[in-house]
Amino acid sequence: MKSIFTLATILALSTTAIGQISFTGQGIGTSRSDRAVVDMNGDFLDDIVSVATSSVQVFFQQPDGSFIEEIIFTSPADNLPSWSLAAADYDGNGYTDLLYGGGNGVTIMMAFRKSPIHNTSFLSVQIS
């Protein structure tokens, strides 16, 4: 009987300890096409990326859930991501690069940073 009471107590406490997760909708106005969600600055928070021919728009997520927008102008991309947009540190320098697959080839936007604040620059490399 004592073990049944102990088990019931553990179950009751464990179900109250599990919290509800809730989400709050937040509108983000991207002015570019082809979006991705990826951590662009290494803070372990998902950022929203939107690309155009000569720019990358990044909404950097803040710890409180808000976003700070930055538009990064780039050299023109020959191939916009009509069939693929991927993000990773392709060159191993610690910054998230973007790969656009579209048209007749691939464009790699290689990221490098000029300052410790979200001041990222991209160099466009075309592969046909």
Side-chain angles (χ1 to χ4, degrees), residues 11-117:
L11 288 174
L13 291 176
S14 67
T15 57
T16 59
I18 298 173
Q20 291 275 334
I21 297 175
S22 63
F23 296 95
T24 303
Q26 181 176 350
I28 297 288
T30 59
S31 57
R32 282 115 181 106
S33 62
D34 304 308
R35 292 160 195 87
V37 177
V38 61
D39 181 9
M40 290 295 290
N41 57 353
D43 62 359
F44 303 104
L45 297 172
D46 289 332
D47 306 312
I48 299 171
V49 178
S50 182
V51 301
T53 303
S54 295
S55 64
V56 175
Q57 180 183 32
V58 182
F59 288 91
F60 291 100
Q61 186 178 174
Q62 303 304 296
D64 66 359
S66 64
F67 290 88
I68 295 176
E69 177 187 12
E70 183 174 347
I71 296 175
I72 304 160
F73 293 97
T74 66
S75 54
D78 287 347
N79 301 289
L80 285 175
S82 61
W83 48 265
S84 180
L85 173 59
D89 182 12
Y90 296 110
D91 58 1
N93 69 353
Y95 305 112
T96 304
D97 306 308
L98 301 172
L99 184 138
Y100 309 163
N104 295 322
V106 172
T107 297
I108 301 174
M109 288 293 180
M110 299 178 71
F112 58 94
R113 190 164 292 165
K114 294 192 283 189
S115 77
I117 304 172

